[in-house]
Amino acid sequence: MKMRFAGQPFADQPNLVDFIEHARDGGFDELRIAVAWAKRSGLGRVWDALGEFRGQGGKVLLILGVSEGGATKEGLELALGIADEGYVFHDPRRTFHPKVYFASSPGPRSLFVGSSNLTAGGLGWNYEASTWVDWDAGEGEDVTSEVSRWFDGLIAETTSCSPLTTDLIANLEKSADIVIGSESGARRVRRKKTPDTPEDNDSAIAATINGLFKPVPAGLRKLPGLSSHIAPLTPAAEPVAPKKSGAAPSAGPGAPVAVPHPAPAGPAPFPTANVQRRWFKRLDNTAAQQTKSAGSNPTGNLRLSQEDASMDHKRYFREDFFGGLPWTPTEGKDTEQEVVVAFRTWIDGTDHGVQELRISHDPKRISGQGNVPTVLHWGVLSTTMRSTNYVGLYISLERTTDSEYHLVISPEARGEYKV
């Protein structure tokens, strides 16, 4: 029997990717996995290895948890496509929290147990610790028996362990008390210097005051990329061209720039029944990106302020409204964090599809920007905002129970505040 320690993500230590490749190459017949969470960001990085294992005649069994909001729809869908036998385990009274990987055959057996979920962070990005044990037939039979009996015992709990099907995934999405996340709703701000940074939020990063903590500079392993054989997430729609209008009449130097107001339009055709969070504000010149004089410039952002909502806006947007998303420290800034959020966007009669907009949060702004630390950057919508005068209209931001985001500009707010 051979035992080793897997201390991720150090370069001289094995990780979960190594174990799954070992399961593929080690002459095993079956790979059984029981984990708290599985995500596309993880399964997509070992998709090829698992597919090759199955192509050799190996069987993949997955038992996945959905506790604590860690599971995602995309992860469950990929699991359905790669597992010969898949299950979802959920006991409403207790958290399903194991991370067990067991490759077996009549000859060699291999066990990997520790803290690694089947996510990008668990595969190799996060700091994780696991024990990896290999043994052959004739030794460790008691361990083989106990691990197999444990897996069989989970599956036998039929009221808590259900076969993974498309219908089950749909029912989990509709559930009022089980939260299934989405990996298409937000992503990290990707930097060319860190192309291997995971896009999932199981390994979310939080910036700290400069000097208190710094990243480990070297000696860490890189994370492999997603398989080219899995379908990409739904891409953001192309920006809609701004409405054309005639040239604004000249009013002389220093005068306000005339921008046309929009024609009256109907309400956005987005459902409201599943809206879990809603914030809105009436657009003034600054928020609507309308300059007051020819010499001034738009700010390029929308301040997410208190307005009349009963919440602490200094914490609410970072920790609640956009909480749980893969926030990343902004490069070159000590305390700022940022995340890219996919908004289903409707601007006064025009459906702009899904637009990816950056949200940033910096506590240092509290003293310098009207006590508002969190802002939405208009980005790809800047031209649209500047070309039409939406001053006096309302912008509503919404988060749904499906973890989707809406951005709506309309003559009236979409409803009451939901905080």
Side-chain angles (χ1 to χ4, degrees), residues 375-398:
V375 300
L376 177 149
H377 301 266
W378 287 112
V380 294
L381 294 176
S382 293
T383 302
T384 299
M385 296 301 298
R386 295 172 189 174
S387 64
T388 304
N389 190 341
Y390 296 109
V391 172
L393 273 63
Y394 286 82
I395 180 167
S396 301
L397 301 183
E398 297 172 339

Side-chain angles (χ1 to χ4, degrees), residues 111-369:
L111 178 66
F112 191 93
V113 179
S115 61
S116 291
N117 276 306
L118 202 48
T119 63
L123 280 168
W125 183 262
N126 286 352
Y127 288 86
E128 309 279 3
S130 301
T131 300
W132 180 345
V133 186
D134 295 306
W135 67 96
D136 293 316
E139 60 178 350
E141 294 302 325
D142 53 340
V143 178
T144 301
S145 176
E146 286 300 314
V147 175
S148 297
R149 190 164 67 89
W150 181 77
F151 272 97
D152 292 342
L154 291 176
I155 296 171
E157 296 293 342
T158 55
T159 58
S160 298
C161 191
S162 297
L164 177 60
T165 64
T166 54
D167 286 343
L168 178 61
I169 295 173
N171 288 333
L172 287 169
E173 283 193 284
K174 297 174 185 175
S175 173
D177 59 348
I178 297 176
V179 178
I180 302 297
S182 172
E183 292 172 77
S184 62
R187 62 175 175 83
R188 297 177 186 273
V189 177
R190 304 303 294 271
R191 303 296 183 188
K192 292 182 179 180
K193 294 180 180 178
T194 56
D196 62 327
T197 303
E199 60 285 339
D200 74 340
N201 59 0
D202 183 43
S203 52
I205 304 172
T208 62
I209 299 173
N210 187 34
L212 185 58
F213 292 100
K214 291 184 180 297
V216 175
L220 304 182
R221 296 182 62 170
K222 288 186 175 294
L223 187 68
L226 291 166
S227 168
S228 60
H229 296 102
I230 63 172
L233 294 174
T234 304
E238 291 296 320
V240 176
K243 303 170 185 176
K244 294 183 178 180
S245 58
S250 174
V257 178
V259 176
H261 286 273
F270 300 167
T272 58
N274 65 341
V275 171
Q276 185 181 47
R277 298 283 185 269
R278 179 186 293 117
W279 170 89
F280 61 85
K281 73 182 296 182
R282 191 168 185 266
L283 295 172
D284 58 14
N285 282 68
T286 300
Q289 304 304 287
Q290 299 301 306
T291 57
K292 295 183 178 180
S293 68
S296 60
N297 295 311
T299 61
N301 60 54
L302 171 74
R303 295 193 297 173
L304 305 184
S305 49
Q306 177 86 39
E307 301 307 308
D308 294 323
S310 57
M311 48 76 173
D312 179 3
H313 69 287
K314 299 174 187 177
R315 302 167 58 92
Y316 172 73
F317 293 100
R318 170 60 182 85
E319 299 177 8
D320 191 318
F321 198 96
F322 299 110
L325 301 186
W327 289 86
T328 307
T330 303
E331 189 173 3
K333 296 188 178 181
D334 296 342
T335 57
E336 184 179 301
Q337 302 173 2
E338 58 188 353
V339 65
V340 174
V341 179
F343 287 93
R344 188 178 176 189
T345 305
W346 177 273
I347 300 181
D348 200 46
T350 300
D351 190 342
H352 288 251
V354 177
Q355 298 296 332
E356 292 190 333
L357 303 178
R358 185 170 69 95
I359 309 292
S360 67
H361 175 86
D362 190 345
K364 286 185 177 179
R365 294 180 182 142
I366 292 176
S367 60
Q369 292 195 22

